Amino acid sequence: MWAECRVLEAGCGGRRRFLRSSVMRLPCSFWFLLLLCAGGLLLLHLLDLSETLQQQNQGPKVIFTHVQSARKEQCFHCLDHDRQISDAMEDSFSSPTHPVQHPVSSWAQRSSLVNPRDITASHVTKSHRKLLLKSGPLIQQPNTDPPGQTKDGIEQLTRVQQFRQRLMREICAKYTSGTTKQTITRMHVSRIFVEDTHKLLYCEVPKAGCSNWKRVLMVLQGLAPSTGEIQHDEVHYGNHLKRLDSFDHKGIIKRLKTYTKVLFLREPFERLVSAFRDKFESPNSYYHPVFGKPIISRYRSNATQFALRTGAGVTFKEFIQYLLDVHRPVGMDIHWETVGQLCSPCLLNYDFIGKFETLEEEANFLLRSIGAPSNLTFPSFKDRNPNAERTSSQITRRYFAQLNAIERQRAYDFYYMDYLMFNYSKPFKDLY
C-alpha cells in the first residue's frame, strides 16, 4: 500500500496538481488504515452471509442424500431381481452355464417376458437376456383369484407361452435344418390322448403330472364328476381315453390342425430320479422282473440269487449304466424316454408347453382358456406312494452324487435336447 501510494503520488498529472496541496497533505498511513477497515467490514459481512446460506441449505442436503440412498437401494433390488431371473428354478436347479447359445432372431427382440423358473442367464443369448429383464417374475397378485385368472396373470402366462413356443421352434429349426420334412405317422402320435368335447390333445410325459392330467381329461369327457373320485388303476388301465393313433389318417390330421395340442414336461434329471424311485425302490410286479432282473444280471458282478430271481434292489448307478448302454439288456421305457422321442415336438408344433415346476398354475390357466367347467381345477394330490417325499432338486442331487463325472456327463448328453429345447439349466457346474 505504501509503495502504491508513492507511485500514485509520483504519477499524478499536471491537471490534478490543485489536489496535491490538499489531498496529499494526508499521510499514506491514514489511507492504508482506512482501506484495511473497509476490507475487514466486507469480510465479516461475507462470513455472515455464508453462514446464513449454509443454515438455509441444510434441509435440501438431507433430502438429496436420502434420494441417493433410495436410488441405490432401488438398484440393489433391480440386481436382485435380475439374479432371480438368471438363477431361477423354479423349483429347479442352480444356474450354471449352458454350452450352446440359442439362435437369435427378430422375435427375441420383440418378446417381453419369460418365466424366471424357465430361464437362466448363463445359457441364453444377449437378446434373450434383454427381453427377460423387461418384466418381473410371475408374482401372485394380492387378489382372491388364482394368478392365472387375473388380468396381469393371464397376460404374463400368455407371454410365457409365446416365448416357449418360439424358443422350441428356433431350436428345432437349428437342429433339424437340412433334413427332409418328416411325414406324421401313427408312431409320432401314439402317446397323445384325445378329448373331443373341448378339442384338446394331450401328449403323455410320465412323471410330469400325467396321471392327474388323465383324470382331468376323463372329467372333461364326462366320464367322472370329479378328479378325486378316479382311482389310479382306473386312470392307467381302464382304457377310457382315446389315443390319437386310433383314428384314421384323415382324423389324425384334422385334429392336429384344429385341436389345442398340449405338452407338459419336467426337468430331465429330476424326472429320471422320480421314475427310478417309483419303479425300482418301491415294490413293483412289472418293473422288478422285467427290468430289474436283466439290469442286475448284467451290471452286478456279485449278485445274489435272490436279486437275480426277483430283480429287486437295483441301484441308481446300475440303472444309469443300463440307460447309457448302447447294447441294453432290455429296451427303453416311456418313464425315462426323452420328451423329444415321446411327443415329437419338432414335428407336431405344440400350442401349449407347460412345466411340472409350475404345473397347477399353468394347467388351470389352460383349462380356463379352453372353456372347461369353472369348478374343474387341476388336482394336486399324489396317488402313488402318497407318503413318500416328492422328488425335488435336492433329492435329485443326492442320487446323482452316486455317479462319477463321466456318468453324469453322459446322462446329460442323453437328455441334452430336452434341456436345450425346453430351456432348463445345466444341473451341475462341471457339465459341458
Side-chain angles (χ1 to χ4, degrees):
M1 294 290 291
W2 178 263
E4 288 177 359
C5 203
R6 298 293 297 174
V7 170
L8 179 64
E9 183 179 2
C12 290
R15 290 179 302 172
R16 298 180 180 176
R17 279 174 194 254
F18 66 93
L19 295 174
R20 182 178 298 178
S21 58
S22 58
V23 174
M24 295 308 297
R25 285 181 188 149
L26 297 175
C28 286
S29 58
F30 172 80
W31 294 105
F32 173 76
L33 290 175
L34 183 62
L35 290 174
L36 183 61
C37 291
L41 291 173
L42 179 61
L43 180 60
L44 289 174
H45 176 72
L46 291 175
L47 287 175
D48 290 341
L49 179 62
S50 176
E51 278 187 85
T52 303
L53 290 174
Q54 187 174 9
Q55 290 173 359
Q56 291 176 349
N57 289 332
Q58 282 179 354
K61 285 185 180 179
V62 173
I63 295 174
F64 177 74
T65 304
H66 176 71
V67 170
Q68 279 188 323
S69 301
R71 287 178 180 173
K72 288 182 180 179
E73 185 178 357
Q74 225 172 19
C75 290
F76 289 143
H77 287 315
C78 293
L79 291 174
D80 289 340
H81 171 58
D82 294 351
R83 293 190 189 102
Q84 288 173 4
I85 294 179
S86 302
D87 303 331
M89 177 127 192
E90 39 245 357
D91 7 278
S92 67
F93 289 175
S94 60
S95 61
T97 58
H98 202 289
V100 175
Q101 286 188 328
H102 298 160
V104 180
S105 66
S106 58
W107 70 263
Q109 299 173 356
R110 296 192 300 267
S111 301
S112 60
L113 178 69
V114 73
N115 193 330
R117 296 166 177 143
D118 299 336
I119 296 293
T120 54
S122 50
H123 75 291
V124 296
T125 61
K126 187 176 181 180
S127 297
H128 285 158
R129 179 190 286 269
K130 287 181 179 179
L131 71 91
L132 298 183
L133 300 183
K134 291 180 182 179
S135 301
L138 295 179
I139 302 174
Q140 184 168 349
Q141 303 296 322
N143 193 301
T144 56
D145 296 328
Q149 297 182 26
T150 63
K151 182 179 178 180
D152 291 342
I154 291 173
E155 291 177 354
Q156 289 179 346
L157 288 171
T158 301
R159 290 194 292 267
V160 166
Q161 283 304 310
Q162 292 172 350
F163 178 88
R164 291 177 185 171
Q165 292 164 29
R166 289 165 178 167
L167 175 60
M168 183 185 69
R169 287 196 293 268
E170 284 199 349
I171 297 300
C172 289
K174 179 177 180 180
Y175 285 90
T176 60
S177 59
T179 59
T180 304
K181 186 175 181 180
Q182 285 184 281
T183 302
I184 297 175
T185 66
R186 294 184 184 278
M187 181 191 68
H188 293 124
V189 299
S190 61
R191 306 310 312 174
I192 296 180
F193 290 92
V194 180
E195 201 286 292
D196 285 311
T197 305
H198 297 82
K199 296 186 176 182
L200 189 66
L201 299 179
Y202 165 72
C203 185
E204 175 188 26
V205 177
K207 313 310 298 180
C210 67
S211 297
N212 283 336
W213 258 117
K214 290 179 183 178
R215 288 185 171 91
V216 169
L217 294 178
M218 291 175 68
V219 173
L220 288 174
Q221 206 164 303
L223 300 176
S226 67
T227 56
E229 298 181 16
I230 308 173
Q231 299 300 314
H232 180 270
D233 288 348
E234 195 70 16
V235 169
H236 291 283
Y237 310 119
N239 294 321
H240 298 294
L241 298 172
K242 296 179 182 179
R243 293 181 185 267
L244 190 54
D245 62 351
S246 66
F247 296 87
D248 59 20
H249 182 72
K250 184 178 179 180
I252 292 173
I253 299 302
K254 177 184 177 181
R255 286 169 174 80
L256 286 173
K257 287 183 177 179
T258 59
Y259 284 21
T260 301
K261 300 181 291 294
V262 176
L263 171 64
F264 271 80
L265 44 93
R266 188 175 185 177
E267 203 284 333
F269 276 11
E270 190 172 302
R271 175 175 165 247
L272 180 65
V273 171
S274 178
F276 171 78
R277 295 176 69 203
D278 183 33
K279 305 307 178 187
F280 294 101
E281 291 188 344
S282 303
N284 194 295
S285 59
Y286 173 77
Y287 283 91
H288 287 189
V290 174
F291 286 88
K293 288 167 66 174
I295 288 175
I296 291 173
S297 177
R298 185 177 182 91
Y299 306 109
R300 190 180 299 181
S301 57
N302 57 346
T304 64
Q305 289 300 314
F306 175 80
L308 291 171
R309 186 175 69 255
T310 63
V314 172
T315 66
F316 185 66
K317 190 178 184 70
E318 292 168 343
F319 173 66
I320 294 298
Q321 287 179 292
Y322 144 77
L323 179 72
L324 303 177
D325 193 344
V326 294
H327 304 292
R328 298 185 189 96
V330 61
M332 281 294 290
D333 183 81
I334 62 171
H335 289 83
W336 43 85
E337 182 63 274
T338 64
V339 175
Q341 288 294 323
L342 289 171
C343 298
S344 303
C346 289
L347 185 61
L348 302 182
N349 195 18
Y350 286 86
D351 304 300
F352 191 98
I353 303 170
K355 294 196 173 183
F356 182 83
E357 292 76 23
T358 48
L359 177 58
E360 291 181 45
E361 179 182 357
E362 294 181 358
N364 289 324
F365 168 66
L366 173 63
L367 291 174
R368 303 289 78 79
S369 67
I370 64 171
S374 57
N375 62 344
L376 175 61
T377 57
F378 193 84
S380 59
F381 56 81
K382 180 183 179 184
D383 56 354
R384 276 183 63 82
N385 305 314
N387 297 324
E389 184 181 0
R390 286 186 183 272
T391 301
S392 63
S393 59
Q394 292 76 20
I395 291 177
T396 300
R397 286 183 173 277
R398 290 207 301 266
Y399 278 83
F400 272 86
Q402 303 171 28
L403 309 179
N404 58 42
I406 295 176
E407 291 168 330
R408 285 197 300 270
Q409 181 63 52
R410 291 185 62 203
Y412 177 70
D413 294 339
F414 185 86
Y415 291 104
Y416 178 73
M417 285 305 297
D418 283 0
Y419 273 101
L420 185 62
M421 191 182 308
F422 303 113
N423 209 22
Y424 283 107
S425 62
K426 289 193 301 183
F428 295 95
K429 294 181 178 180
D430 59 352
L431 298 174
Y432 55 87

